[in-house]
C-alpha cells in the first residue's frame, strides 16, 4: 500500500474519531435524513426524546412522528433549503413521543453535500427545550458503525493493491468519505449550542479546537481565545481552576459530568456542565481530550431562586403559625372570660324565673324569658367559638363510643321541638331500620345534628316541613343523615361560602334570623374529625338538603 494511502486512512480515522467523539457526546438529538424524508441515522438522544428505538425510527419518516400543525412551516423552510435559498434553518416544533405525549424540540437543519455539491442528506439537530440528556447508547452504536465502515474501507484498500486503477478508485472513495466525515463534524461542532473543544496533550497541553459557541456563552471571540489560551484563567473561578487541575492529574475524573463556575467577560456569573472523552493512540497512550461544556447558568439561577422562594415561604408559614396560635389563645381566653359572668347571670335569671325573690307579673315573666333566651343564645355562641378554636388548634379530643341511632335522633328532634312548634314547622323522622348503631362521639354528633335541625327550622316558612332521614350504604360503609327543609333555600353562587367561619350568605339574614356564621363551619369540622363529611344541595326558594356522612359497618 502506498504511504499516501496510509496518510489518507490516518486522516480518515482521525476525522471519524473526532466526529464519533463529538457525535457520541452530543446532548442534543441528531439525525441524518434522506431527501425523501426517510430517517437514515439517529443518535440515542434522539431516541430518548421521542421514545422510539433506532430500528423503529429507520422505518419511519419525519411525518410519522411530527405534529401535523407544524408541518407547513417546516415544509416552507425545507423547500428553501433544498433550493439553495437557505444554508440552514432553525425552528421550534412538536414531535409525538411513542407513548402518545407531545414534546417540544428546537430543530436545526443543515445540508450535507457530495463531491459534486449535490445535497445527499440533511443533518437534523433537535434539542429538548426543557431538558437535555446525554446520548450514551447512541455513542456505543455509532462506535460499532464507524469501526465497521473503517474495516470495509481497509478491506477495499487491500484488494486495490493488485491493480493501480483499483487503487485510484479506492483512493477517490476514501477522499470522498473523508470530506463527508469532516463536513459532518464541522456542521455538528459549529451548530451545537454548547462549547465543543479539543485539547492535545502531546508534546504539551494546548487547545487545538474550540467551537464558535464560546463567543455566545463567554463573550470572548475565537480569535481572542486562540491568541491567549490562558484566557480560561479569566473565565474560571480560582477555586474551580484548582478543582480542574486535580481532575487533570487523574484523567479518568475528567470524563464527567462535573460542574465548573466562571464568569462572562462582562463579569456576570456562569455555570458549566462539562463532559469529556479521552482519546488514545494505537498504543493506548492518552493523546487528547475532547469534550463539551454546556451553559447551565439559567438552570442554576432558577434553582437558587426556587430555594430562596421556599425559604421565604417557610418563614411566612412560621409567622402565620405564630399568628394563628396567638389568635387561638386569645379566643380561648376570651371565651373563658365571657362564659364565667354569663353563667352567673343565667343562674340569677333562673332564680328570678322560679320566683325565689317574690312573685312576677306577666310582663316581668316575659322579660325574664327573653333575657334567658338571649343568654342561652350567647352561651351557645361562646361554646361554638371555643369548640371551633380547639378544633383549629388540634386540641379538641373526641370521646368515641357505641351509640344507639334511634335514641340519638329522637333526642335531637326533642331539642328543636319547642322552636319548631313556635314557628308552626312540622319535624318528621324517617330512619333506616338497618342502621341501629354507630361508633362515634355521642355529644359531638348530636351537636352537629341539632345544629342542622335548628337551622332548618329557623329558615323554614310558617307551616313548613323539616325531615330527618337516615339511610345506610353498606357498599360504601357510610351512614347518611339527610336534613331536608322546605325553607328559603340557598343560591348556587353562595354555596361555596357556606362553610366559611363568620360568613352568612346574605347580610339581611343576620338581622332577620340572627347568627354569626359559626354553626355550619363547626358542624363541618366535627364531621371531618369523625372521618365524615358535610355536604349541601339547595335551590333558592326551594329549600335545602344537608347530608352528614359518617363511617358505618353493618352487622
Amino acid at each position: 500500500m502506498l504511504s499516501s494511502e496510509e496518510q489518507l486512512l490516518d486522516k480518515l480515522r482521525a476525522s471519524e474519531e473526532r466526529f464519533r467523539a463529538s457525535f457520541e457526546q452530543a446532548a442534543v438529538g441528531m439525525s441524518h435524513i434522506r431527501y425523501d424524508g426517510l430517517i437514515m441515522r439517529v443518535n440515542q438522544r434522539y431516541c430518548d426524546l421521542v421514545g422510539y428505538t433506532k430500528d423503529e425510527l429507520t422505518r419511519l419518516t419525519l411525518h410519522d412522528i411530527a405534529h401535523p400543525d407544524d408541518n407547513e412551516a417546516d415544509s416552507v423552510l425545507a423547500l428553501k433549503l433544498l433550493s439553495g435559498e437557505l444554508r440552514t434553518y432553525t425552528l421550534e416544533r412538536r414531535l409525538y413521543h411513542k407513548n402518545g405525549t407531545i414534546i417540544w424540540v428546537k430543530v436545526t437543519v443543515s445540508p450535507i453535500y457530495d463531491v459534486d455539491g449535490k445535497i445527499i442528506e440533511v443533518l437534523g439537530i433537535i434539542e429538548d427545550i426543557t431538558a437535555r440528556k446525554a446520548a450514551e447508547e447512541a455513542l456505543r452504536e455509532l462506535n460499532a458503525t464507524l469501526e465497521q465502515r473503517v474495516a470495509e474501507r481497509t478491506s477495499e484498500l487491500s484488494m486495490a493493491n493488485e491493480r493501480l486503477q483499483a487503487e485510484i478508485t479506492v483512493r477517490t472513495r476514501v477522499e470522498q468519505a473523508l470530506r463527508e466525515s469532516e463536513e459532518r463534524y464541522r456542521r455538528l461542532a459549529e451548530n451545537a449550542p454548547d462549547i465543543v473543544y479539543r485539547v492535545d496533550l502531546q508534546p504539551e497541553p494546548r487547545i487545538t479546537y474550540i467551537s464558535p459557541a464560546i463567543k455566545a456563552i463567554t463573550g470572548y471571540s475565537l480569535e481572542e481565545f486562540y491568541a491567549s489560551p490562558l484566557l480560561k484563567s479569566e473565565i474560571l473561578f480560582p477555586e474551580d481552576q484548582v478543582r480542574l487541575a486535580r481532575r487533570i492529574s487523574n484523567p479518568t475524573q475528567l470524563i464527567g459530568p462535573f460542574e465548573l463556575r466562571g464568569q462572562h467577560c462582562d463579569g456576570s456569573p456562569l455555570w458549566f456542565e462539562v463532559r469529556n472523552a479521552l482519546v488514545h493512540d494505537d498504543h493506548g497512550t492518552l493523546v487528547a481530550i475532547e469534550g463539551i461544556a454546556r451553559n447551565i447558568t439559567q438552570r442554576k439561577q432558577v434553582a437558587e431562586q426556587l430555594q430562596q422562594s421556599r425559604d421565604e415561604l417557610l418563614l411566612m408559614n412560621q409567622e402565620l403559625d405564630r399568628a394563628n396560635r396567638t389568635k387561638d389563645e386569645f379566643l380561648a381566653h376570651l371565651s373563658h372570660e365571657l362564659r364565667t359572668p354569663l353563667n352567673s347571670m343565667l343562674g340569677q335569671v333562673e332564680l328570678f324565673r322560679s320566683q325565689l325573690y317574690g312573685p312576677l307579673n306577666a310582663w316581668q315573666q316575659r322579660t325574664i324569658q327573653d333575657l334567658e333566651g338571649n343568654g342561652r343564645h350567647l352561651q351557645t355562641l361562646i361554646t361554638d367559638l371555643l369548640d371551633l378554636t380547639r378544633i383549629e388548634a388540634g386540641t379538641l379530643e373526641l370521646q368515641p363510643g357505641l351509640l344507639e341511632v334511634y335514641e340519638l335522633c329522637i333526642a335531637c328532634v326533642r331539642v328543636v321541638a319547642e322552636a319548631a312548634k313556635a314557628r308552626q314547622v312540622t319535624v318528621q323522622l324517617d330512619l333506616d331500620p338497618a342502621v341501629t348503631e354507630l361508633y362515634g362521639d355521642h355529644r359531638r354528633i348530636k351537636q352537629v345534628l341539632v345544629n342542622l335541625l335548628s337551622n332548618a327550622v329557623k329558615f323554614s316558612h310558617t307551616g313548613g316541613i323539616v325531615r330527618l332521614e337516615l339511610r345506610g350504604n353498606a357498599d360504601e360503609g357510610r351512614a347518611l343523615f339527610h336534613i331536608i327543609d322546605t325553607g328559603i333555600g340557598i343560591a348556587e353562587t353562595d354555596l361555596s361560602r357556606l362553610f366559611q367561619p363568620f360568613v352568612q350568605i346574605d347580610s339581611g339574614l343576620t338581622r332577620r334570623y340572627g347568627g354569626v356564621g359559626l354553626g355550619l363551619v363547626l358542624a363541618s369540622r366535627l364531621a371531618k374529625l369523625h372521618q365524615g363529611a358535610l355536604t349541601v344541595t339547595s335551590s333558592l326558594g326551594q329549600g335545602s338538603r344537608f347530608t352528614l356522612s359518617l363511617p358505618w359497618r353493618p352487622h
Side-chain angles (χ1 to χ4, degrees), residues 153-398:
R153 299 298 190 276
T154 302
S155 176
E156 292 173 359
L157 289 173
S158 297
M159 295 175 60
N161 285 332
E162 298 178 1
R163 292 181 302 171
L164 179 59
Q165 186 60 41
E167 180 181 301
I168 296 175
T169 302
V170 170
R171 181 183 304 170
T172 301
R173 292 176 181 175
V174 172
E175 290 175 350
Q176 179 179 350
L178 177 60
R179 285 192 297 270
E180 292 177 358
S181 176
E182 291 176 344
E183 176 70 12
R184 286 194 296 269
Y185 176 76
R186 186 182 63 82
R187 292 284 185 188
L188 171 64
E190 293 183 358
N191 289 280
D194 305 323
I195 301 173
V196 181
Y197 55 87
R198 177 185 174 95
V199 178
D200 286 345
L201 303 178
Q202 303 298 333
E204 61 182 14
R206 64 186 182 92
I207 298 175
T208 55
Y209 175 79
I210 193 163
S211 67
I214 187 71
K215 171 67 174 178
I217 294 178
T218 69
Y220 294 101
S221 66
L222 287 173
E223 293 76 12
E224 290 176 297
F225 213 94
Y226 283 124
S228 178
L230 296 180
L231 196 59
K232 69 179 181 63
S233 62
E234 298 291 331
I235 297 176
L236 295 181
F237 286 175
E239 53 267 36
D240 288 73
Q241 294 182 44
V242 174
R243 292 174 51 220
L244 181 60
R246 292 197 191 102
R247 290 181 179 272
I248 293 176
S249 64
N250 183 3
T252 57
Q253 296 184 6
L254 284 172
I255 297 176
F258 58 91
E259 296 177 355
L260 294 173
R261 296 170 301 163
Q263 61 183 7
H264 193 273
C265 67
D266 62 8
S268 58
L270 289 174
W271 277 88
F272 299 98
E273 181 183 76
V274 180
R275 298 171 184 268
N276 293 303
L278 306 181
V279 182
H280 299 82
D281 61 15
D282 295 337
H283 304 291
T285 302
L286 180 63
V287 296
I289 299 170
E290 293 183 343
I292 292 177
R294 170 165 303 153
N295 182 8
I296 60 170
T297 306
Q298 185 177 9
R299 187 174 76 192
K300 285 290 187 178
Q301 290 173 342
V302 169
E304 182 178 350
Q305 293 171 359
L306 180 60
Q307 185 59 47
Q308 182 178 356
S309 298
R310 288 174 176 169
D311 294 341
E312 292 175 355
L313 182 60
L314 179 60
L315 290 176
M316 291 175 61
N317 286 336
Q318 291 173 349
E319 290 296 329
L320 183 60
D321 288 341
R322 282 194 291 270
N324 282 334
R325 286 194 298 271
T326 302
K327 177 206 68 174
D328 294 339
E329 292 171 359
F330 169 75
L331 290 177
H333 179 73
L334 178 63
S335 299
H336 175 74
E337 292 299 322
L338 290 175
R339 186 184 299 231
T340 300
L342 181 61
N343 288 339
S344 176
M345 182 187 73
L346 289 175
Q348 292 295 325
V349 168
E350 179 64 26
L351 294 176
F352 277 109
R353 193 164 63 86
S354 64
Q355 302 188 31
L356 182 65
Y357 299 123
L360 302 174
N361 59 36
W363 179 84
Q364 290 172 329
Q365 289 178 357
R366 287 195 301 271
T367 301
I368 290 298
Q369 184 177 359
D370 291 342
L371 183 61
E372 182 180 23
N374 290 330
R376 297 296 180 192
H377 177 66
L378 181 58
Q379 188 179 47
T380 300
L381 292 180
I382 294 173
T383 299
D384 287 349
L385 180 61
L386 184 58
D387 285 345
L388 184 60
T389 302
R390 289 172 177 171
I391 291 175
E392 295 293 344
T395 59
L396 189 144
E397 296 183 0
L398 299 179

Side-chain angles (χ1 to χ4, degrees), residues 425-428 453 456-457 460 464-468 483-486:
V425 173
T426 302
V427 180
Q428 300 175 347
L453 286 169
V457 171
S460 289
I465 297 175
V466 172
R467 187 166 66 255
L468 172 58
I483 295 84
I484 307 166
D485 65 68
T486 57

Side-chain angles (χ1 to χ4, degrees), residues 19 23-24 28-33 37-50 52-62 65 95 121-126 135 137-143 145:
F19 171 74
F23 188 87
E24 291 174 353
V28 293
M30 294 177 50
S31 64
H32 287 174
I33 304 170
L38 185 65
I39 300 174
M40 302 298 295
R41 187 181 304 104
V42 296
N43 64 1
Q44 187 58 41
R45 178 57 178 162
Y46 195 106
C47 298
D48 292 339
L49 287 174
V50 298
Y52 292 93
T53 65
K54 290 186 177 182
D55 290 338
E56 288 173 334
L57 285 172
T58 54
R59 294 193 294 269
L60 299 174
T61 66
L62 279 180
I65 61 174
L95 299 179
E121 293 179 356
V122 293
L123 172 65
I125 299 176
I126 66 171
E137 181 63 25
L139 294 176
R140 291 190 291 269
E141 294 191 7
L142 184 59
N143 276 337
T145 301

